[in-house]
mmCIF file of all heavy atoms in Angstrom:
data_model
loop_
_atom_site.group_PDB
_atom_site.id
_atom_site.type_symbol
_atom_site.label_atom_id
_atom_site.label_comp_id
_atom_site.label_asym_id
_atom_site.label_seq_id
_atom_site.Cartn_x
_atom_site.Cartn_y
_atom_site.Cartn_z
ATOM 1 N N GLU A 1 12.613 -45.335 82.397
ATOM 2 C CA GLU A 1 11.361 -45.336 82.995
ATOM 3 C C GLU A 1 10.984 -43.909 83.436
ATOM 4 O O GLU A 1 9.849 -43.379 83.223
ATOM 5 C CB GLU A 1 11.314 -46.246 84.147
ATOM 6 C CG GLU A 1 11.249 -47.793 83.760
ATOM 7 C CD GLU A 1 11.435 -48.720 84.872
ATOM 8 O OE1 GLU A 1 11.703 -48.278 85.997
ATOM 9 O OE2 GLU A 1 11.254 -49.977 84.600
ATOM 10 N N LEU A 2 11.924 -43.151 84.076
ATOM 11 C CA LEU A 2 11.707 -41.826 84.515
ATOM 12 C C LEU A 2 11.417 -40.967 83.338
ATOM 13 O O LEU A 2 10.478 -40.047 83.371
ATOM 14 C CB LEU A 2 12.846 -41.268 85.260
ATOM 15 C CG LEU A 2 13.098 -41.783 86.707
ATOM 16 C CD1 LEU A 2 14.513 -41.387 87.257
ATOM 17 C CD2 LEU A 2 12.059 -41.300 87.643
ATOM 18 N N ALA A 3 12.175 -41.069 82.214
ATOM 19 C CA ALA A 3 11.982 -40.262 81.004
ATOM 20 C C ALA A 3 10.522 -40.468 80.421
ATOM 21 O O ALA A 3 9.943 -39.610 79.863
ATOM 22 C CB ALA A 3 12.992 -40.521 79.969
ATOM 23 N N ASP A 4 10.227 -41.857 80.445
ATOM 24 C CA ASP A 4 8.829 -42.100 79.817
ATOM 25 C C ASP A 4 7.744 -41.412 80.644
ATOM 26 O O ASP A 4 6.750 -40.905 79.981
ATOM 27 C CB ASP A 4 8.601 -43.610 79.842
ATOM 28 C CG ASP A 4 9.184 -44.224 78.647
ATOM 29 O OD1 ASP A 4 9.617 -43.681 77.634
ATOM 30 O OD2 ASP A 4 9.464 -45.582 78.800
ATOM 31 N N ASP A 5 7.953 -41.333 81.978
ATOM 32 C CA ASP A 5 7.050 -40.669 82.755
ATOM 33 C C ASP A 5 7.005 -39.126 82.498
ATOM 34 O O ASP A 5 5.982 -38.510 82.466
ATOM 35 C CB ASP A 5 7.227 -40.923 84.243
ATOM 36 C CG ASP A 5 6.946 -42.436 84.766
ATOM 37 O OD1 ASP A 5 6.248 -43.056 83.965
ATOM 38 O OD2 ASP A 5 7.446 -42.821 85.734
ATOM 39 N N HIS A 6 8.197 -38.586 82.330
ATOM 40 C CA HIS A 6 8.409 -37.202 82.171
ATOM 41 C C HIS A 6 8.142 -36.697 80.753
ATOM 42 O O HIS A 6 7.388 -35.717 80.529
ATOM 43 C CB HIS A 6 9.828 -36.816 82.534
ATOM 44 C CG HIS A 6 10.130 -35.351 82.519
ATOM 45 N ND1 HIS A 6 9.678 -34.404 83.456
ATOM 46 C CD2 HIS A 6 10.836 -34.624 81.573
ATOM 47 C CE1 HIS A 6 10.114 -33.257 83.180
ATOM 48 N NE2 HIS A 6 10.781 -33.365 82.004
ATOM 49 N N TYR A 7 8.678 -37.396 79.801
ATOM 50 C CA TYR A 7 8.478 -36.850 78.360
ATOM 51 C C TYR A 7 7.484 -37.578 77.607
ATOM 52 O O TYR A 7 7.052 -37.159 76.457
ATOM 53 C CB TYR A 7 9.853 -37.149 77.583
ATOM 54 C CG TYR A 7 10.928 -36.142 77.923
ATOM 55 C CD1 TYR A 7 12.083 -36.781 78.775
ATOM 56 C CD2 TYR A 7 10.959 -34.869 77.701
ATOM 57 C CE1 TYR A 7 13.082 -35.963 79.041
ATOM 58 C CE2 TYR A 7 11.990 -34.055 78.072
ATOM 59 C CZ TYR A 7 13.076 -34.536 78.736
ATOM 60 O OH TYR A 7 14.118 -33.718 79.125
ATOM 61 N N GLY A 8 6.900 -38.694 78.129
ATOM 62 C CA GLY A 8 5.876 -39.418 77.407
ATOM 63 C C GLY A 8 6.488 -40.559 76.613
ATOM 64 O O GLY A 8 7.615 -40.844 76.721
ATOM 65 N N ARG A 9 5.682 -41.128 75.760
ATOM 66 C CA ARG A 9 6.083 -42.270 74.949
ATOM 67 C C ARG A 9 7.430 -41.982 74.126
ATOM 68 O O ARG A 9 7.480 -40.907 73.583
ATOM 69 C CB ARG A 9 4.952 -42.568 73.934
ATOM 70 C CG ARG A 9 5.063 -43.858 73.308
ATOM 71 C CD ARG A 9 3.726 -44.264 72.646
ATOM 72 N NE ARG A 9 4.115 -45.182 71.643
ATOM 73 C CZ ARG A 9 3.935 -44.928 70.294
ATOM 74 N NH1 ARG A 9 3.545 -43.758 69.886
ATOM 75 N NH2 ARG A 9 4.326 -45.888 69.423
ATOM 76 N N LYS A 10 8.309 -42.875 73.985
ATOM 77 C CA LYS A 10 9.588 -42.854 73.385
ATOM 78 C C LYS A 10 10.613 -41.778 74.019
ATOM 79 O O LYS A 10 11.730 -41.725 73.617
ATOM 80 C CB LYS A 10 9.312 -42.423 71.894
ATOM 81 C CG LYS A 10 8.549 -43.266 71.100
ATOM 82 C CD LYS A 10 8.581 -42.850 69.748
ATOM 83 C CE LYS A 10 7.774 -43.931 68.778
ATOM 84 N NZ LYS A 10 7.661 -43.469 67.400
ATOM 85 N N GLY A 11 10.247 -41.201 75.212
ATOM 86 C CA GLY A 11 11.228 -40.494 75.863
ATOM 87 C C GLY A 11 12.356 -41.144 76.386
ATOM 88 O O GLY A 11 13.489 -40.713 76.402
ATOM 89 N N GLY A 12 12.111 -42.389 76.864
ATOM 90 C CA GLY A 12 13.078 -43.346 77.458
ATOM 91 C C GLY A 12 14.164 -43.675 76.583
ATOM 92 O O GLY A 12 15.337 -43.729 76.808
ATOM 93 N N ARG A 13 13.796 -44.012 75.214
ATOM 94 C CA ARG A 13 14.635 -44.361 74.159
ATOM 95 C C ARG A 13 15.642 -43.138 73.864
ATOM 96 O O ARG A 13 16.720 -43.362 73.796
ATOM 97 C CB ARG A 13 14.001 -44.788 72.995
ATOM 98 C CG ARG A 13 14.924 -45.383 71.981
ATOM 99 C CD ARG A 13 14.293 -45.946 70.773
ATOM 100 N NE ARG A 13 13.175 -45.147 70.319
ATOM 101 C CZ ARG A 13 12.271 -45.373 69.394
ATOM 102 N NH1 ARG A 13 12.354 -46.624 68.746
ATOM 103 N NH2 ARG A 13 11.400 -44.620 68.932
ATOM 104 N N LYS A 14 15.110 -41.956 73.814
ATOM 105 C CA LYS A 14 15.907 -40.813 73.457
ATOM 106 C C LYS A 14 16.867 -40.554 74.703
ATOM 107 O O LYS A 14 18.026 -40.190 74.327
ATOM 108 C CB LYS A 14 15.029 -39.716 73.213
ATOM 109 C CG LYS A 14 14.225 -39.699 71.913
ATOM 110 C CD LYS A 14 13.310 -38.604 71.715
ATOM 111 C CE LYS A 14 12.619 -38.828 70.313
ATOM 112 N NZ LYS A 14 11.587 -37.761 70.139
ATOM 113 N N VAL A 15 16.414 -40.725 75.899
ATOM 114 C CA VAL A 15 17.223 -40.498 77.104
ATOM 115 C C VAL A 15 18.311 -41.467 77.113
ATOM 116 O O VAL A 15 19.464 -41.397 77.473
ATOM 117 C CB VAL A 15 16.445 -40.421 78.309
ATOM 118 C CG1 VAL A 15 17.253 -40.654 79.574
ATOM 119 C CG2 VAL A 15 15.640 -39.049 78.447
ATOM 120 N N SER A 16 18.046 -42.711 76.657
ATOM 121 C CA SER A 16 19.043 -43.751 76.556
ATOM 122 C C SER A 16 20.108 -43.413 75.686
ATOM 123 O O SER A 16 21.268 -43.677 76.004
ATOM 124 C CB SER A 16 18.417 -45.087 76.182
ATOM 125 O OG SER A 16 19.307 -46.102 76.119
ATOM 126 N N TYR A 17 19.805 -42.855 74.601
ATOM 127 C CA TYR A 17 20.828 -42.373 73.604
ATOM 128 C C TYR A 17 21.688 -41.302 74.140
ATOM 129 O O TYR A 17 22.918 -41.243 74.003
ATOM 130 C CB TYR A 17 20.206 -41.965 72.202
ATOM 131 C CG TYR A 17 19.443 -43.002 71.405
ATOM 132 C CD1 TYR A 17 18.390 -42.641 70.746
ATOM 133 C CD2 TYR A 17 19.929 -44.336 71.463
ATOM 134 C CE1 TYR A 17 17.651 -43.692 70.007
ATOM 135 C CE2 TYR A 17 19.239 -45.202 70.690
ATOM 136 C CZ TYR A 17 18.100 -44.923 69.976
ATOM 137 O OH TYR A 17 17.422 -45.874 69.252
ATOM 138 N N ALA A 18 20.981 -40.369 74.844
ATOM 139 C CA ALA A 18 21.799 -39.247 75.459
ATOM 140 C C ALA A 18 22.652 -39.727 76.458
ATOM 141 O O ALA A 18 23.814 -39.232 76.606
ATOM 142 C CB ALA A 18 20.752 -38.143 76.046
ATOM 143 N N ALA A 19 22.251 -40.697 77.363
ATOM 144 C CA ALA A 19 23.163 -41.286 78.401
ATOM 145 C C ALA A 19 24.398 -41.968 77.795
ATOM 146 O O ALA A 19 25.388 -41.830 78.307
ATOM 147 C CB ALA A 19 22.278 -42.284 79.212
ATOM 148 N N GLY A 20 24.075 -42.607 76.738
ATOM 149 C CA GLY A 20 25.196 -43.276 75.992
ATOM 150 C C GLY A 20 26.215 -42.275 75.537
ATOM 151 O O GLY A 20 27.432 -42.431 75.548
ATOM 152 N N ALA A 21 25.744 -41.199 74.962
ATOM 153 C CA ALA A 21 26.541 -40.172 74.424
ATOM 154 C C ALA A 21 27.381 -39.380 75.560
ATOM 155 O O ALA A 21 28.639 -39.190 75.353
ATOM 156 C CB ALA A 21 25.826 -39.069 73.706
ATOM 157 N N LEU A 22 26.713 -39.178 76.724
ATOM 158 C CA LEU A 22 27.351 -38.614 77.882
ATOM 159 C C LEU A 22 28.517 -39.567 78.333
ATOM 160 O O LEU A 22 29.566 -39.189 78.777
ATOM 161 C CB LEU A 22 26.294 -38.372 78.976
ATOM 162 C CG LEU A 22 25.483 -37.153 78.858
ATOM 163 C CD1 LEU A 22 24.234 -37.196 79.710
ATOM 164 C CD2 LEU A 22 26.194 -35.838 78.848
ATOM 165 N N HIS A 23 28.180 -40.862 78.314
ATOM 166 C CA HIS A 23 29.152 -41.861 78.891
ATOM 167 C C HIS A 23 30.351 -41.887 77.853
ATOM 168 O O HIS A 23 31.551 -41.888 78.248
ATOM 169 C CB HIS A 23 28.474 -43.203 78.832
ATOM 170 C CG HIS A 23 29.331 -44.383 79.355
ATOM 171 N ND1 HIS A 23 30.059 -45.189 78.520
ATOM 172 C CD2 HIS A 23 29.607 -44.710 80.687
ATOM 173 C CE1 HIS A 23 30.696 -46.077 79.359
ATOM 174 N NE2 HIS A 23 30.587 -45.726 80.587
ATOM 175 N N GLY A 24 30.145 -41.919 76.549
ATOM 176 C CA GLY A 24 31.157 -41.903 75.642
ATOM 177 C C GLY A 24 32.073 -40.590 75.716
ATOM 178 O O GLY A 24 33.241 -40.641 75.467
ATOM 179 N N ALA A 25 31.412 -39.467 76.087
ATOM 180 C CA ALA A 25 32.132 -38.231 76.242
ATOM 181 C C ALA A 25 32.873 -38.153 77.597
ATOM 182 O O ALA A 25 33.603 -37.158 77.750
ATOM 183 C CB ALA A 25 31.187 -37.075 76.006
ATOM 184 N N GLY A 26 32.605 -38.956 78.531
ATOM 185 C CA GLY A 26 33.347 -38.958 79.809
ATOM 186 C C GLY A 26 32.486 -38.213 80.930
ATOM 187 O O GLY A 26 33.081 -37.884 81.895
ATOM 188 N N TYR A 27 31.262 -37.640 80.605
ATOM 189 C CA TYR A 27 30.530 -36.856 81.598
ATOM 190 C C TYR A 27 29.786 -37.797 82.607
ATOM 191 O O TYR A 27 29.574 -37.342 83.678
ATOM 192 C CB TYR A 27 29.399 -36.009 80.830
ATOM 193 C CG TYR A 27 30.168 -34.919 80.015
ATOM 194 C CD1 TYR A 27 30.088 -34.972 78.711
ATOM 195 C CD2 TYR A 27 30.553 -33.853 80.666
ATOM 196 C CE1 TYR A 27 30.682 -33.942 77.912
ATOM 197 C CE2 TYR A 27 31.171 -32.860 79.943
ATOM 198 C CZ TYR A 27 31.281 -32.922 78.516
ATOM 199 O OH TYR A 27 31.793 -31.948 77.799
ATOM 200 N N VAL A 28 29.636 -39.081 82.295
ATOM 201 C CA VAL A 28 29.183 -39.937 83.319
ATOM 202 C C VAL A 28 29.963 -41.258 83.179
ATOM 203 O O VAL A 28 30.594 -41.530 82.091
ATOM 204 C CB VAL A 28 27.652 -40.371 82.982
ATOM 205 C CG1 VAL A 28 26.773 -39.067 83.177
ATOM 206 C CG2 VAL A 28 27.468 -41.026 81.775
#
């Protein structure tokens, strides 16, 4: 939701992928 507000439409989905990658790499 924060990403959609910041980046506009489809920003949330891209941030979701980034969060998943960060989780898989151990950063979160």
Side-chain angles (χ1 to χ4, degrees):
E1 289 172 352
L2 288 170
D4 280 338
D5 291 342
H6 183 76
Y7 289 111
R9 195 169 155 249
K10 296 185 182 178
R13 184 173 47 184
K14 292 177 182 179
V15 162
S16 176
Y17 295 144
L22 287 167
H23 184 260
Y27 292 104
V28 300

